[in-house]
Amino acid sequence: MMRTVVKRSAAIAGALVSIPTIASAVYAFNEYKNTPEDQISMHHTMYSIYYQSITNLFMSKLGSSAIRQFNIDCKDAKSNESLLLKLLDRCKDTMYGKDHNFGSIKSREEFRRKHPITIHEHYQSYIDRVYEGEQNIMFPEKPRMIATTSGTSGSHKQIPVPPIQRKVFFTKGIAITFDALQNGVKHPTNKSLRWPNFQKSCKLMIEPQFTYTSSNIMVGPSSSRPKDNKSLLKLYTTPEAAFDVQSENELLFLHALYSMHCWTKIWVLLRQTFAIGFSTSSSSWMINGMHLLKL
């Protein structure tokens, strides 16, 4: 009796694992066969084709759901007010929340009166305390890191980053951007061009050098970096080993080299988190690209 139960359990467990695996493999193969050849990177392996097809499917579904909710929220002032009050309630017992009476705020109008528009200097004393390792200062959790800005406004500024930031940024930011690209990429003459496809993209990023506070909080840029998710590196034109290069100019040269090597059929998508970074990186990319063309 026990042996029969074990066998049945093993069979069910095997089906639960094998059915989704087979279904996803069939889906990936079908996507590959129905994608025009000029929209498939020549540097893909069978596994990276499979990985990219599943990633595209996941992001497509997540993006359409995120933009749908975003549009609903934009039309509903009460939804925005509810989010504001939820954030205030979350931080009402922090030092900043107590100093600014977050617990007494019951509407967005009241928030405007009690907490007018601020600048970075307004938060500096609280940031200093977070930097020194004090707990429950600006939000309840220990910071994931203290981000530093690029300094384009005149000086580098520090911003404590809560653990929830990464999830919100991905589900409310990246997902919506993906949906915009999916529905916005059109070619004036090539009607078969679609995005996402199986072309690799050029992700302009470098592994930064971080410092740490005395309480072991990481300090540095908050933009995406190679070590955030190594499995995604197979979707980029630049090979994983190149991201070990620490010189920004040398790595930009490699980005240009490998993206131009892939740019033999139709186009390569350039990706950068911040506009100023894209401007700087793309200028270097063009200079390096012209040098490579001369070679």
Side-chain angles (χ1 to χ4, degrees):
M1 180 66 177
M2 181 60 69
R3 184 174 298 177
T4 302
V5 172
V6 171
K7 286 184 177 180
R8 287 180 178 176
S9 299
I12 293 172
L16 290 174
V17 173
S18 61
I19 291 175
T21 302
I22 293 172
S24 61
V26 171
Y27 172 82
F29 179 76
N30 186 61
E31 284 290 290
Y32 174 74
K33 294 298 291 184
N34 290 306
T35 299
E37 184 181 354
D38 63 359
Q39 296 178 41
I40 303 174
S41 171
M42 67 178 70
H43 302 289
H44 266 306
T45 63
M46 290 303 295
Y47 178 70
S48 64
I49 283 281
Y50 169 78
Y51 187 86
Q52 184 159 4
S53 67
I54 300 304
T55 300
N56 288 348
L57 176 63
F58 172 77
M59 290 302 301
S60 177
K61 299 299 183 184
L62 179 64
S64 61
S65 174
I67 192 63
R68 184 165 55 251
Q69 187 60 50
F70 177 78
N71 289 331
I72 292 172
D73 292 341
C74 286
K75 296 176 182 177
D76 182 11
K78 284 294 182 183
S79 176
N80 290 314
E81 183 175 56
S82 176
L83 174 60
L84 170 64
L85 296 178
K86 181 179 179 180
L87 293 173
L88 293 175
D89 183 69
R90 175 175 172 268
C91 296
K92 67 181 180 181
D93 294 323
T94 64
M95 184 60 65
Y96 187 87
K98 291 177 179 178
D99 289 348
H100 294 83
N101 299 310
F102 280 2
S104 68
I105 298 176
K106 304 302 180 184
S107 68
R108 64 178 183 274
E109 288 80 10
E110 189 175 0
F111 176 73
R112 289 171 182 155
R113 291 195 306 270
K114 293 185 176 181
H115 196 284
I117 294 174
T118 59
I119 59 176
H120 186 268
E121 283 70 19
H122 167 81
Y123 303 94
Q124 191 59 59
S125 62
Y126 297 96
I127 295 173
D128 291 341
R129 296 177 68 174
V130 173
Y131 192 94
E132 293 302 320
E134 291 190 50
Q135 301 292 316
N136 204 37
I137 301 301
M138 301 181 75
F139 39 80
E141 309 88 355
K142 180 179 179 179
R144 180 173 67 84
M145 67 177 300
I146 296 177
T148 54
T149 66
S150 60
T152 52
S153 61
S155 62
H156 296 281
K157 295 179 174 61
Q158 295 180 333
I159 305 171
V161 179
I164 196 174
Q165 179 266 350
R166 178 167 288 184
K167 177 184 177 181
V168 172
F169 182 72
F170 181 75
T171 58
K172 307 295 185 182
I174 293 176
I176 291 176
T177 302
F178 190 95
D179 183 80
L181 285 170
Q182 179 171 284
N183 293 297
V185 172
K186 308 292 181 184
H187 195 278
T189 58
N190 187 352
K191 302 304 180 184
S192 68
L193 174 63
R194 60 173 184 155
W195 194 91
N197 52 34
F198 288 113
Q199 284 285 4
K200 294 191 174 188
S201 58
C202 179
K203 177 70 170 177
L204 300 172
M205 61 178 175
I206 187 171
E207 188 65 33
Q209 297 296 310
F210 292 101
T211 58
Y212 290 84
T213 69
S214 58
S215 54
N216 203 36
I217 301 174
M218 186 168 66
V219 181
S222 63
S223 55
S224 57
R225 55 196 182 101
K227 290 182 180 179
D228 280 342
N229 191 339
K230 284 195 171 186
S231 62
L232 289 177
L233 297 182
K234 63 178 64 67
L235 306 183
Y236 304 143
T237 55
T238 307
E240 181 177 343
F243 287 104
D244 291 333
V245 174
Q246 291 298 307
S247 166
E248 184 173 356
N249 287 334
E250 291 176 0
L251 184 51
L252 283 172
F253 181 85
L254 292 175
H255 283 318
L257 172 65
Y258 288 107
S259 61
M260 292 190 71
H261 183 53
C262 291
W263 201 351
T264 56
K265 294 185 177 182
I266 185 164
W267 51 273
V268 170
L269 177 67
L270 296 177
R271 300 171 57 190
Q272 227 283 343
T273 305
F274 300 106
I276 185 65
F278 180 80
S279 175
T280 303
S281 301
S282 58
S283 297
S284 177
W285 185 89
M286 290 300 294
I287 293 171
N288 287 325
M290 292 302 294
H291 177 67
L292 289 169
L293 286 175
K294 290 178 182 179
L295 295 177

